[in-house]
Amino acid sequence: MLRRQIARLKTRLSELSRADLRDAARLALQSAVAGAGAYLIMQSFGLPEVYVCILSAVLIVQPSADGTIGAAWERLSASFVGSVIGILGLVILPYGYGTVAALLVSMALLNGISSFREDWRYGVVAAVAISLGSEEEAMRTALDRGIAILVGIVFGIAVALVLWPETAQKRYRRHRASALKHLASYVDATFDGVVGKTAETRRARERFLESLDNARDAAESGRLRNGAGALEIVDLIDRLGNHVRFLTFALEGEEELDEEHEGRGSVERFQRQIVDYLGALSRDERAEPVETPDWTGPVEDGDPGTDDTRRVLQVTVAEICTTLDALSDAIAERGGLGELRIPVGAAPD
């Protein structure tokens, strides 16, 4: 069992890109410096709640500087809400039942609220500390906790802005390009999977989805300029991946399209055009137009199963071309990359 887990870990590490390793190294370095620095500050001024300050400094650090700043308000508002709930639990509940009852009420309220405002879940830290104290110490505990959280947040932001900073915009651009490259690899593996390479297809899809999640996370974080447009582009890439996956199922139903069938050459040309198109988009370059393959010609009356498969192929191929067109338009018009319009079916300049 352990040997299998080690093998999986080695495989996973070998698949990490330089960008992934850079992200991990940046987050590790910033978190370490933020935690150590917060400890030294609290010790130097003799302030209590050292561990809360360290946690605040470490947890506030995000993959991008914009994300770190954006998370600051969430941490502060969550801590305030948690402190208020903790104090009310001690003040309102009968004497002698304060600790247990305050914990029950605080946890129930905060976790209930977090189902609507997930970012307020962090307030549990402040609520627990206050609930474990006494009514007389509630305000003092809340004040000490608030100071510790504020110091940790301010220092964490300073570290993110000074030590190896990266903006959300730059991170999004990098992960978007990675998602497009992995999608191209997924297209290659998907079409090859029609003749049996299913294991590689699964791995390619996992890498694509992981890079897509990174791009979506970067688009949603911090103060990304034109964030709505960035998310639209990520959604289009996701939709394109789903169309490609669906096309695989349709191709598997076309039993005639084996490696020796004349239609196979058209399949491979379509595959190569999509891969080249995605590669060009990842580099912010123009691409050759994608042509509709021959094997999606008119449906002829015959075997119902074959006709249905051919209709699915027609619709799926049309959706792929339409989505590619929409993706290039979105990158050009809302992605902040300048003029990059590559309409499908139109010859490039």
Side-chain angles (χ1 to χ4, degrees):
M1 182 65 178
L2 179 59
R3 186 176 300 175
R4 188 183 303 117
Q5 295 298 326
I6 293 176
R8 289 179 180 176
L9 179 60
K10 289 182 178 179
T11 301
R12 181 68 186 88
L13 290 175
S14 66
E15 294 175 350
L16 290 176
S17 65
R18 294 174 62 182
D20 294 330
L21 294 174
R22 185 167 60 247
D23 276 349
R26 178 188 300 105
L27 190 59
L29 178 62
Q30 290 179 343
S31 299
V33 172
Y39 171 79
L40 291 175
I41 291 174
M42 297 296 283
Q43 288 291 96
S44 299
F45 290 93
L47 297 173
E49 307 290 350
V50 176
Y51 79 98
V52 175
C53 180
I54 294 174
L55 286 177
S56 297
V58 172
L59 295 178
I60 198 67
V61 176
Q62 303 295 313
S64 68
D66 308 63
T68 300
I69 295 174
W73 171 249
E74 297 176 0
R75 296 287 192 270
L76 288 173
S77 60
S79 299
F80 175 77
V81 172
S83 298
V84 170
I85 291 176
I87 292 172
L88 290 177
L90 286 178
V91 173
I92 296 175
L93 294 170
Y95 178 76
Y97 298 92
T99 300
V100 176
L103 276 174
L104 287 172
V105 173
S106 299
M107 295 305 97
L109 285 175
L110 275 174
N111 285 283
I113 293 173
S114 66
S115 63
F116 304 100
R117 288 287 305 270
E118 186 176 355
D119 53 310
W120 280 6
R121 193 178 183 87
Y122 184 79
V124 169
V125 178
V128 168
I130 295 173
S131 298
L132 293 177
S134 64
E135 182 178 341
E136 293 75 16
E137 298 175 350
M139 293 304 298
R140 178 57 184 271
T141 302
L143 180 61
D144 291 341
R145 180 61 55 100
I147 293 174
I149 291 174
L150 183 61
V151 171
I153 286 176
V154 171
F155 188 73
I157 291 175
V159 170
L161 292 176
V162 174
L163 181 63
W164 200 357
E166 182 177 59
T167 63
Q169 179 74 15
K170 182 179 179 180
R171 184 169 179 269
Y172 160 71
R173 292 274 299 275
R174 179 161 49 82
H175 283 298
R176 186 190 66 196
S178 177
L180 289 167
K181 291 177 183 177
H182 282 302
L183 179 56
S185 299
Y186 175 47
V187 170
D188 264 335
T190 294
F191 279 78
D192 291 341
V194 177
V195 292
K197 296 183 180 179
T198 55
E200 176 59 28
T201 302
R202 286 194 297 270
R203 286 194 293 270
R205 179 170 174 78
E206 289 173 359
R207 290 191 290 267
F208 161 61
L209 291 177
E210 182 177 348
S211 60
L212 187 68
D213 287 341
N214 289 335
R216 190 183 302 279
D217 177 67
E220 292 175 341
S221 68
R223 302 173 182 176
L224 180 63
R225 181 172 59 87
N226 202 2
L231 283 173
E232 180 185 355
I233 292 173
V234 173
D235 289 338
L236 286 170
I237 298 173
D238 189 13
R239 185 190 309 171
L240 187 58
N242 290 331
H243 290 328
V244 171
R245 188 182 189 191
F246 194 75
L247 181 62
T248 306
F249 301 144
L251 287 174
E252 288 174 346
E254 280 285 289
E255 297 178 356
E256 294 182 352
L257 291 177
D258 54 28
E259 290 181 303
E260 297 180 358
H261 188 270
E262 60 181 5
R264 186 68 191 178
S266 184
V267 173
E268 292 175 349
R269 283 195 300 274
F270 186 60
Q271 169 191 5
R272 180 48 49 194
Q273 288 177 342
I274 296 175
V275 170
D276 292 343
Y277 200 101
L278 293 172
L281 284 181
S282 71
R283 299 186 301 271
D284 304 338
E285 298 174 355
R286 286 186 176 272
E288 293 294 331
V290 177
E291 301 174 359
T292 303
D294 298 337
W295 39 267
T296 59
V299 176
E300 300 178 358
D301 293 334
D303 179 68
T306 301
D307 291 346
D308 290 342
T309 301
R310 186 57 55 86
R311 290 189 183 92
V312 171
L313 282 172
Q314 288 178 337
V315 172
T316 306
V317 167
E319 286 294 331
I320 288 176
C321 292
T322 300
T323 307
L324 281 172
D325 195 4
L327 178 60
S328 62
D329 284 346
I331 291 177
E333 296 171 8
R334 291 175 291 277
L337 304 180
E339 293 299 326
L340 180 64
R341 183 177 177 82
I342 317 174
V344 174
D349 295 337

